[in-house]
Amino acid sequence: MPPAPPWPIDLALSGGGFRAAGFHFGGIQVLHEVGLLPHVRAISTVSGGTLVGAAWTLSLAQGEPFETFSDRFGAFLTRNNLANCTLLALLDRPDGREPSLIRAVARVYAEKLLRVRGADGKERPARLGDVFGAEQAPPTICFNTTELYSGTDFRFQRGPGSGLVIGNGDVSIPRDQAEGLRLADIVAASSCFPGGFEPLLLPDDFVAPEGAGAPPVTVRFAGHPDRRGPVALMDGGIYDNQGTESLLLDRAGTGDPPGLLLVSDASPAPPPEGFYEPPPPPRIGGMSVGMAVILASFALLTVIFVLLAQATWVAMQGNTTYAAIDVGLAAIVALIGVGGAYTLNGFYRLVLDHVPPAHHTRLGMLGVNHVLHFLRVRLRSLAPLTTDIFVKRIRRLSYAHAWQDERVAGKVVASLVDDLPDRARDAARLVAAGLPAPTDVVRRDLDVAARMDTTLWWDNALQREAVIRAGRDSMCFNLLDHLLERYGGPADHPPEVAEVFGKLAERWRAANGG
């Protein structure tokens, strides 16, 4: 007897900025077209995956047809360059608070995507309770962030049981308070990647449902009942960029039948040219740091002297307006000099704390070009560590955890943004079933998606459409390959599987020009 159909589906949507949002959007479209989307019983999202996952589950909670969600989210991806939108929101601060990039991003999400119509007929920003309180959405939902208190996944989650906390075993918040949080703030926290954004503080940086001030949220620290204060949240990809751990933990002890663990993974691909290219060594000689500081100080003093002398001469001619301007410019130059001296002194004191006193005088003898090379080497090596090697390691650990879990053995399907071009030569199962191997057109779209940086904008419309098509084609290819591996040829498929396989096959032929 052939195995039962592999659904229900536990769906994981990885992080990866707009690349992830577009890639997952295309994958979800395929699941809808072949009738698998209603079989999704659990969804776990990270960063860019949370953007599309929150928008889709909110649409389900509002009882909207899939086409409404698809049109709205497609328009959001088309019309909004988040870099520009965030800059405008950053400059226009109606709350009067200090500038914050991540709060500006949350504001864009709240105003342009994550909105609902209330009982009074007026639109308002969506809240977490609008999703978690709805029966139409999947029973299990998890929006993942990382908290910087214990360094653990902080989960905004709901499930069939009552044991799931909002947070984790170290830091949590009451469920009733969490459901009043603005959904846009949670999505912003999930996509708050290091380097690009500052941490989002819960509750201080969140917006109250009424739209003014921070929401009334009590942060609980396990083992420290007297501890008060906010908890810093950042990108969920710091802890688990695939979002699979939440789904595996949710299945533990529930007794639910094992379903298909379907991972849409838009993690960045390692660069084909290697992780690191050392910069050329600095030339010998050049100006020393000490001499550069002396010359810079002399130049500033000279500018100040010239401006003040000119102001005196202009004032003697009776033109007090121009004299005042010269004095003001001299004051600005003086402030720049004082600020620069203060900053340099801070760096200097920091260095002195780690250098033996006998070598202090040698610091000023270092060449400026050597100091710049010193900084350049470290920055160029730090970038691949955080954006490539670290992400690659996290991905490997996530899949190792999933593949070693006996409950989902043989039922893990990964739709990877960088995998299909390599697997194109391994499409033997599809070809044996009478389906075409991936064409150059399909591989080209996947290559565009894999090479896209982790950004919150598109370089152009062609890139956007290529990434969305890549998500569709990758999802289609990997589901077809899994069904053929699990059930054999189409003639051996049980009716439920045969219907889905037929729709996937039709879609795959169309994508490859068949």
Side-chain angles (χ1 to χ4, degrees):
M1 176 180 293
W7 32 90
I9 294 172
D10 294 345
L11 179 63
L13 304 179
S14 79
F18 261 32
R19 180 187 64 251
F23 187 77
H24 303 327
F25 181 46
I28 288 176
Q29 287 178 327
V30 167
L31 294 179
H32 167 72
E33 291 171 7
V34 303
L36 289 181
L37 206 52
H39 292 286
V40 174
R41 69 172 174 192
I43 180 171
S44 174
T45 67
V46 180
S47 193
T50 300
L51 179 60
V52 61
W56 174 59
T57 53
L58 179 63
S59 180
L60 285 178
Q62 299 301 300
E64 297 175 342
F66 180 84
E67 290 72 21
T68 301
F69 155 74
S70 183
D71 291 344
R72 180 190 300 117
F73 195 77
F76 175 82
L77 292 180
T78 300
R79 298 171 185 168
N80 292 289
N81 178 321
L82 275 191
N84 295 337
C85 295
T86 300
L87 180 60
L88 293 176
L90 186 65
L91 297 175
D92 178 22
R93 294 177 283 121
D95 56 6
R97 303 169 75 180
E98 70 279 1
S100 167
L101 283 175
I102 193 59
R103 287 206 310 271
V105 168
R107 180 179 166 192
V108 172
Y109 292 156
E111 292 179 353
K112 298 184 177 293
L113 181 64
L114 302 173
R115 303 186 65 81
V116 297
R117 193 171 298 280
D120 57 0
K122 297 180 180 179
E123 271 199 352
R124 61 168 174 80
R127 302 167 188 164
L128 184 64
D130 293 322
V131 175
F132 281 11
E135 295 182 358
Q136 301 95 320
T140 297
I141 301 173
C142 183
F143 303 134
N144 295 276
T145 69
T146 302
E147 49 89 358
L148 303 187
Y149 171 71
S150 62
T152 309
D153 196 351
F154 189 99
R155 301 180 175 99
F156 292 91
Q157 59 186 343
R158 82 163 188 181
S162 58
L164 295 179
V165 299
I166 304 295
N168 55 54
D170 297 303
V171 186
S172 62
I173 60 177
R175 180 169 296 275
D176 58 336
Q177 295 179 0
E179 292 191 352
L181 296 176
R182 196 170 64 164
L183 187 59
D185 293 325
I186 295 170
V187 175
S190 181
S191 55
C192 181
F193 53 84
F197 299 105
E198 60 276 272
L200 193 69
L201 301 182
L202 174 67
D204 297 19
D205 289 334
F206 282 56
V207 176
E210 298 77 17
V217 172
T218 304
V219 181
R220 299 168 176 168
F221 297 87
H224 300 277
D226 298 330
R227 182 183 175 92
R228 295 291 182 269
V231 59
L233 302 180
M234 292 204 77
D235 196 306
I238 299 172
Y239 184 81
D240 174 16
N241 197 48
Q242 282 63 49
T244 54
E245 182 173 300
S246 299
L247 294 175
L248 295 174
L249 287 174
D250 179 64
R251 297 272 69 81
T254 62
D256 292 343
L260 184 70
L261 180 58
L262 179 55
V263 187
S264 183
D265 190 351
S267 297
E273 64 275 9
F275 291 106
Y276 175 73
E277 184 69 28
R283 62 183 179 86
I284 298 175
M287 186 181 298
S288 69
V289 173
M291 182 58 67
V293 171
I294 292 173
L295 290 177
S297 302
F298 179 77
L300 284 173
L301 290 173
T302 301
V303 171
I304 293 171
F305 175 79
V306 170
L307 287 171
L308 291 178
Q310 180 172 289
T312 302
W313 184 82
V314 170
M316 292 175 63
Q317 304 302 312
N319 196 332
T320 56
T321 300
Y322 284 107
I325 292 175
D326 287 334
V327 171
L329 291 174
I332 292 174
V333 173
L335 287 174
I336 292 173
V338 171
Y342 182 81
T343 302
L344 286 175
N345 182 65
F347 281 117
Y348 185 63
R349 301 304 305 179
L350 181 65
V351 171
L352 291 185
D353 290 340
H354 297 84
V355 176
H359 301 295
H360 287 180
T361 56
R362 295 178 176 271
L363 291 175
M365 299 172 62
L366 286 173
V368 172
N369 55 338
H370 286 83
V371 173
L372 294 177
H373 179 76
F374 180 89
L375 295 174
R376 185 163 56 247
V377 168
R378 276 145 186 81
L379 290 175
R380 289 184 67 167
S381 60
L382 181 63
L385 284 177
T386 56
T387 60
D388 296 315
I389 298 175
F390 175 75
V391 171
K392 180 180 179 182
R393 178 64 173 164
I394 289 293
R395 175 193 272 190
R396 184 179 300 167
L397 291 173
S398 296
Y399 285 115
H401 188 193
W403 288 326
Q404 292 168 9
D405 194 310
E406 295 181 355
R407 295 167 299 163
V408 292
K411 301 180 76 172
V412 179
V413 176
S415 177
L416 306 179
V417 73
D418 64 330
D419 185 54
L420 189 55
D422 292 333
R423 292 186 61 195
R425 61 178 178 269
D426 300 323
R429 275 190 288 265
L430 271 70
V431 173
L435 297 172
T439 61
D440 290 341
V441 174
V442 169
R443 289 198 297 269
R444 192 179 306 123
D445 286 341
L446 264 294
D447 187 60
V448 169
R451 289 177 177 273
M452 179 181 172
D453 292 330
T454 303
T455 60
L456 294 177
W457 60 84
W458 307 105
D459 292 339
N460 50 61
L462 294 177
Q463 182 191 56
R464 180 187 66 244
E465 294 306 313
V467 171
I468 295 173
R469 285 196 302 269
R472 295 186 193 125
D473 296 340
S474 179
M475 180 66 73
C476 192
F477 176 91
N478 284 287
L479 284 173
L480 283 169
D481 189 61
H482 173 75
L483 294 178
L484 288 171
E485 179 184 22
R486 184 172 175 81
Y487 297 98
D492 301 322
H493 293 178
E496 240 187 304
V497 174
E499 181 181 359
V500 171
F501 184 88
K503 293 178 180 178
L504 286 168
E506 181 181 355
R507 206 223 164 276
W508 180 249
R509 290 191 182 95
N512 287 275

